[in-house]
Amino acid sequence: ERCWNCFDLIIISTSVFETVMDILTKTIEASTVDSSHLRIMRFMRLARALRGVRVMRLVRFIGALRSIVFAILSTLWSLLWTLVLLVLLFYCFAVILAQLVSDHCRFSTAPCDLILKRYWASVPESMLTLFLSISGGLSWTEALEPLRTVSSVAFSCFIIYIFISIFAILNVVTGVFCNNAIESSKADKDIAIMKQIEWHKGQLR
């Protein structure tokens, strides 16, 4: 509570300072106003926008909202390792597919397809294509069809990637997130009960 009071004091102080600066700038001619004062005014207006952070005080009073926020925060560590695993998966398959497409374009007598260059031109582009294929930004069939002309190895490699990422990794990650959210919700209820018991003990004293 003390931290929120200090935060409110800072916001009110900046608002008062901005009001005083507005009055001073109106009384002084525009030609004599320094540009540094205008920068200070813009900063003060930006600081006033931080008043919206005070809405976070409602989290502790609404049990359902507090449980959701607590569950999200408890899954951040799992989210970090999930991102690491997905990046490794993207990189491994991107190297293979980019190399197969590069060899196909180099040794093929016909000009290389523009769609192949768009999706599989390099390792970073291939990683982006793989990410979009499982995140909804791109239909994975659009990225798969050009690989038919490359080789059956490239075609099969992309199919294996879809199976591993969607049917294995994402489902397991979803289960881990749900488990962490359930455990954090139970822990939040236990903490709330303990605080309520301590509050009643304090009232009896």
Side-chain angles (χ1 to χ4, degrees), residues 10-34:
I10 294 173
I11 295 299
I12 293 173
S13 301
T14 54
S15 300
V16 172
F17 182 76
E18 181 185 0
T19 303
V20 173
M21 291 295 294
D22 281 334
I23 296 173
L24 290 178
T25 52
K26 289 179 181 178
T27 57
I28 302 175
E29 294 182 357
S31 59
T32 60
V33 176
D34 191 4

Side-chain angles (χ1 to χ4, degrees), residues 25-74:
T25 52
K26 289 179 181 178
T27 57
I28 302 175
E29 294 182 357
S31 59
T32 60
V33 176
D34 191 4
S35 60
S36 61
H37 294 164
L38 297 177
R39 287 195 295 268
I40 294 175
M41 291 293 296
R42 287 194 292 267
F43 175 76
M44 289 297 125
R45 291 191 178 94
L46 180 62
R48 288 182 62 184
L50 294 175
R51 290 182 297 181
V53 181
R54 297 168 62 186
V55 180
M56 295 300 296
R57 300 179 67 176
L58 298 175
V59 172
R60 59 178 179 175
F61 299 111
I62 304 176
L65 181 60
R66 184 180 66 249
S67 299
I68 293 174
V69 173
F70 194 57
I72 293 174
L73 293 177
S74 65

Side-chain angles (χ1 to χ4, degrees), residues 5-204:
N5 292 334
C6 294
F7 180 77
D8 292 338
L9 178 62
I10 294 173
I11 295 299
I12 293 173
S13 301
T14 54
S15 300
V16 172
F17 182 76
E18 181 185 0
T19 303
V20 173
M21 291 295 294
D22 281 334
I23 296 173
L24 290 178
T25 52
K26 289 179 181 178
T27 57
I28 302 175
E29 294 182 357
S31 59
T32 60
V33 176
D34 191 4
S35 60
S36 61
H37 294 164
L38 297 177
R39 287 195 295 268
I40 294 175
M41 291 293 296
R42 287 194 292 267
F43 175 76
M44 289 297 125
R45 291 191 178 94
L46 180 62
R48 288 182 62 184
L50 294 175
R51 290 182 297 181
V53 181
R54 297 168 62 186
V55 180
M56 295 300 296
R57 300 179 67 176
L58 298 175
V59 172
R60 59 178 179 175
F61 299 111
I62 304 176
L65 181 60
R66 184 180 66 249
S67 299
I68 293 174
V69 173
F70 194 57
I72 293 174
L73 293 177
S74 65
T75 57
L76 289 180
W77 190 247
S78 299
L79 176 62
L80 176 62
W81 289 111
T82 301
L83 293 176
V84 173
L85 178 61
L86 288 175
V87 168
L88 291 176
L89 183 69
F90 295 156
Y91 180 76
C92 292
F93 280 92
V95 169
I96 297 173
L97 292 173
Q99 185 63 45
L100 291 174
V101 172
S102 177
D103 293 341
H104 170 76
C105 294
R106 184 181 302 131
F107 299 109
S108 178
T109 56
C112 189
D113 192 355
L114 294 178
I115 301 180
L116 283 175
K117 293 182 178 179
R118 178 183 177 185
Y119 292 140
W120 312 103
S122 61
V123 173
E125 286 292 335
S126 300
M127 292 180 67
L128 179 61
T129 301
L130 293 174
F131 169 72
L132 294 176
S133 298
I134 63 172
S135 61
L138 172 69
S139 176
W140 61 270
T141 55
E142 295 181 12
L144 176 65
E145 287 301 323
L147 294 177
R148 290 179 180 271
T149 60
V150 176
S151 65
S152 59
V153 176
F155 183 83
S156 302
C157 185
F158 189 80
I159 293 293
I160 293 172
Y161 161 77
I162 293 297
F163 270 102
I164 292 176
S165 58
I166 295 180
F167 296 106
I169 294 179
L170 293 185
N171 285 331
V172 172
V173 168
T174 302
V176 171
F177 282 176
C178 291
N179 184 53
N180 290 339
I182 293 172
E183 291 180 354
S184 64
S185 179
K186 292 180 180 179
D188 180 61
K189 291 180 180 178
D190 294 338
I191 293 172
I193 293 172
M194 292 293 293
K195 288 184 178 180
Q196 192 71 18
I197 293 174
E198 292 178 358
W199 183 81
H200 281 297
K201 288 182 180 180
Q203 294 295 321
L204 293 175

